[in-house]
Amino acid sequence: MDQRPIGVFDSGVGGLTVVREIMEQLPNEEIIYFGDTARVPYGSKSKETVTKYSKQIIRFLMTKNIKAIIIACNTASSNSLEEVQRTFDIPIIGVVEPGAVMASRTTKNNRIGIIGTEATIRSKSYENAIKLHNKDIQTFSLSCPLFVPLAEEGWTNNEVAYLVAKKYLEHFHAKEIDTLVLGCTHYPLLKDVIQEVIGENVCLINPALEVAKELKELLLLRDGLRHPSQSPRHSFYVSDNTTKFEQIAAIALKKSIPHAIKIDIERY
Ligand code: DGL
């Protein structure tokens, strides 16, 4: 048994789609979340900048006596996972590998679409991870940067979101994909609109499901699950604008959260 919390981070509210899954699959675990609301979006930034941000956030989370870290951000996973795993002496799980495995197992016609931020698509992280599992799979990638501000604004199911999705997803029209990876943790917040536009025949992959499973396996292996006797008290930290974060978090998690605490991440 290990009563310590799990650190989870993202550039903003997107990582809450991963938190939701962890809460579902591991209800006794305590979570310390950090959303980098002052520096969102990460998707337009360079590998160096995203890696610097990841390191600062991990240093901050490690002051909270955590037992593991989930990088609940595809951009940070794609651009900094290997470097931070080398740098820090704590188990760190990213979202790309679990999502790629799930997509490879799901496709029947070996044609997978991948949507993510510019930095994730540029890194080819999903493409490479999918090809590693099955080299016969063909991938089709597209960055959809406007989905992130829509999710941060809570505009996840209105006519603007629909039009943006329609414009982006036209890209896949003649590609005959049967599987589409939501390669950004903000995107599951727009799942309904994306599914409506892409059509019912395309299976959407939300890597969060597999990430929570991988975390469970890791904790079981280390006898690191939390004892259920005390109910978990989650904490939420941000680098800016707590009120907006709390509002969107309540929608994403379908319950209200304790007040988010603003910290100066540049100090770490
Ligand atoms: N939610 C993040 C991801 O999974 C980052 C989005 C962004 O900040 O651009 O890629």
Side-chain angles (χ1 to χ4, degrees):
M1 293 288 160
D2 189 337
Q3 297 306 93
R4 291 177 299 165
I6 294 160
V8 182
F9 75 89
D10 177 46
S11 62
V13 297
L16 295 170
T17 60
V18 179
V19 168
R20 190 161 69 190
E21 238 2 90
I22 298 174
M23 287 176 167
E24 187 81 23
Q25 293 187 37
L26 293 162
N28 299 319
E29 294 303 319
E30 195 163 272
I31 291 163
I32 305 225
Y33 185 86
F34 178 80
D36 202 353
T37 49
R39 305 189 294 196
V40 65
Y42 281 9
S44 54
K45 309 225 161 50
S46 67
K47 183 179 176 76
E48 292 70 34
T49 301
V50 173
T51 303
K52 178 185 133 188
Y53 291 173
S54 296
K55 285 182 175 174
Q56 286 178 322
I57 297 166
I58 292 172
R59 273 184 223 115
F60 162 70
L61 289 171
M62 285 179 81
T63 65
K64 303 289 173 197
N65 191 28
I66 48 172
K67 59 185 170 190
I69 289 179
I70 307 289
I71 307 187
C73 172
N74 290 268
T75 308
S77 298
S78 300
N79 288 279
S80 69
L81 180 65
E82 284 169 21
E83 167 76 13
V84 296
Q85 280 177 332
R86 263 198 308 272
T87 309
F88 297 97
D89 187 20
I90 186 166
I92 304 177
I93 297 177
V95 281
V96 172
E97 173 69 19
V101 174
M102 199 176 169
S104 311
R105 286 192 189 133
T106 304
T107 182
K108 301 260 186 308
N109 70 357
N110 282 351
R111 298 173 77 81
I112 299 179
I114 300 156
I115 52 174
T117 67
E118 284 165 29
T120 297
I121 299 301
R122 193 177 54 224
S123 76
K124 296 194 178 351
S125 56
Y126 273 101
E127 220 171 297
N128 294 339
I130 288 171
K131 289 259 190 313
L132 212 62
H133 283 274
N134 182 349
K135 61 175 178 25
D136 296 329
I137 294 178
Q138 261 187 285
T139 56
F140 305 90
S141 303
L142 179 74
S143 61
C144 305
L146 289 177
F147 283 161
V148 172
L150 284 172
E152 290 287 329
E153 190 58 35
W155 284 21
T156 52
N157 206 348
N158 63 12
E159 64 278 23
V160 180
Y162 182 82
L163 279 177
V164 173
K166 204 158 173 288
K167 186 84 192 146
Y168 278 141
L169 301 177
E170 263 169 15
H171 176 80
F172 295 107
H173 268 168
K175 309 281 192 302
E176 293 177 3
I177 56 165
D178 69 350
T179 305
L180 180 66
V181 180
L182 303 179
C184 169
T185 52
H186 281 72
Y187 298 179
L189 295 168
L190 291 111
K191 187 170 79 2
D192 293 345
V193 164
I194 294 173
Q195 186 77 72
E196 191 180 336
V197 172
I198 199 81
E200 289 302 322
N201 295 336
V202 176
C203 182
L204 299 187
I205 301 293
N206 175 2
L209 274 70
E210 278 308 300
V211 174
K213 257 193 234 164
E214 194 173 318
L215 174 64
K216 190 171 182 178
E217 277 163 24
L218 174 93
L219 295 178
L220 278 170
L221 205 71
R222 296 173 166 241
D223 192 22
L225 285 169
R226 195 165 173 276
H227 199 279
S229 56
Q230 290 162 315
S231 44
R233 290 171 58 194
H234 310 299
S235 327
F236 296 84
Y237 293 86
V238 289
S239 46
D240 203 357
N241 203 349
T242 54
T243 316
K244 187 75 173 288
F245 177 85
E246 288 163 12
Q247 282 165 2
I248 308 293
I251 298 169
L253 296 176
K254 298 194 172 76
K255 60 179 172 198
S256 60
I257 62 160
H259 281 304
I261 301 160
K262 183 178 163 188
I263 59 141
D264 178 6
I265 195 65
E266 294 287 356
R267 280 181 33 227
Y268 291 88

